[in-house]
């Protein structure tokens, strides 16, 4: 396996690139790709930058140029529902582009000519990620996140959620907009700006992928303020510790080959 790891922001990725053994740095299409090993797993890390097009380009390049066999997206997101709190972890069960709307020609949210609105991540990889996230919260969290940051963000017993992630080219910082999205997209757990674009690319290229997000804000009027501080002090630790757990687990127990019904 060769794992492509995409992050949107520098802070989310910094720790992973530092941990890479014998990395080589390649520049392509205005991005840096770091190729090497992460805890004995072949890996390629890239900073996609923000938004769906940037993420889609990064995912495509990882597959077509760097030959990755699996993609993991790590990053932060706004909470999509009141039961999801800052500091919680969300793992995508399904992803949708909330700003896709070619109605009345196609149903709202449907990606035209693909015939679907929702994209499903790889179940095996997502389950491994879920185990890594739970273990992180139970075993590493107290050591990984400084006490003052735990208090500042009221990070008490963060939880792991699995559910629908909605992506669009918009930083959501408006309670009403979030409520409208919630109404239109049942089961929404997080809003962000890249995941569903990576999901579409992986669907079209038939590459298994998973998306994990730490909740940085409540997608309301305070979102921008909460977001910056969270990314700096907390998100990098989440990405580092969870990816380390995942890679070690994948090294010790490789994924089963997929039964490929789609063909390539
Ligand atoms: N105001 C910020 C914008 C960063 S974009 C700034 O000035 O830097 C936000 C990034 O975090 C994106 O990569 C997106 O995927 C994620 N994200 C976090 N909270 C979000 C929210 N409330 N809405 C949309 N994306 C969010």
């Amino acid at each position: 396996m060769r794992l492509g790891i995409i992050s949107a922001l520098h802070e989310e990725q910094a720790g992973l690139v530092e941990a890479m053994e014998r990395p080589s740095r390649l520049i392509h299409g205005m991005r840096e790709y770091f190729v090497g090993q992460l805890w004995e797993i072949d890996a390629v890390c890239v900073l996609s930058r923000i938004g769906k097009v940037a993420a889609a380009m990064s995912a495509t390049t990882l597959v077509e140029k760097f030959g990755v066999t699996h993609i993991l997206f790590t990053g932060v997101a706004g909470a999509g529902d009141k039961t999801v709190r800052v500091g919680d972890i969300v793992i995508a069960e399904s992803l949708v582009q909330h700003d896709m709307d070619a109605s009345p020609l196609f149903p709202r949210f449907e990606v035209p000519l693909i015939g679907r609105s929702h994209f499903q991540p790889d179940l095996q990889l997502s389950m491994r990620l879920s185990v890594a996230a739970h273990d992180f919260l139970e075993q590493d969290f107290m050591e990984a996140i400084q006490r003052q940051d735990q208090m500042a963000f009221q990070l008490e017993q963060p939880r792991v959620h699995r559910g629908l992630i909605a992506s669009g080219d918009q930083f959501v910082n408006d309670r009403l907009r979030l409520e409208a999205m919630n109404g239109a997209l049942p089961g929404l757990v997080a809003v962000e700006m890249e995941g569903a674009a990576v999901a579409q690319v992986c669907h079209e290229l038939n590459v298994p992928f998973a998306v994990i997000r730490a909740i940085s804000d409540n997608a309301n009027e305070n979102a921008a303020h909460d977001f910056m501080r969270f990314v700096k002090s907390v998100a990098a630790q989440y990405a580092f510790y969870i990816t380390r757990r995942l890679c070690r687990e994948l090294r010790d127990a490789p994924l089963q080959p997929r039964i490929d019904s789609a063909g390539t």
Side-chain angles (χ1 to χ4, degrees), residues 67-209:
V68 307
T69 57
H70 296 72
I71 289 185
L72 171 67
F73 195 106
T74 69
V76 294
D81 180 90
K82 289 189 182 60
T83 62
V84 180
R85 303 185 60 221
V86 168
D88 284 0
I89 296 170
V90 164
I91 295 171
E93 219 163 35
S94 182
L95 298 107
V96 64
Q97 296 171 33
H98 67 71
D99 52 359
M100 174 60 77
D101 187 357
S103 60
L105 302 178
F106 298 91
R108 189 176 175 201
F109 304 125
E110 182 169 310
V111 180
L113 310 181
I114 290 191
R116 63 164 70 214
S117 55
H118 290 55
F119 296 88
Q120 273 72 43
D122 183 68
L123 191 58
Q124 247 197 108
L125 190 58
S126 300
M127 293 313 287
R128 297 290 189 92
L129 201 51
S130 181
V131 171
H134 277 106
D135 289 349
F136 161 73
L137 290 177
E138 276 158 32
Q139 296 171 41
D140 309 331
F141 179 82
M142 293 306 273
E143 146 200 337
I145 310 298
Q146 290 192 3
R147 188 81 197 127
Q148 70 207 53
D149 293 322
Q150 293 183 25
M151 281 161 48
F153 293 103
Q154 300 176 306
L155 306 180
E156 287 150 22
Q157 301 186 315
R159 296 165 54 206
V160 180
H161 308 260
R162 298 193 62 229
L164 177 64
I165 293 185
S167 316
D169 288 324
Q170 183 179 46
F171 183 75
V172 181
N173 59 353
D174 173 352
R175 198 182 310 261
L176 293 177
R177 184 160 166 77
L178 183 66
E179 274 171 24
M181 259 192 229
N182 242 299
L185 296 166
L188 186 66
V189 288
V191 290
E192 39 88 311
M193 303 177 69
E194 298 85 14
V198 171
Q200 182 180 337
V201 168
C202 288
H203 170 76
E204 293 190 35
L205 295 176
N206 195 26
V207 169
F209 74 97

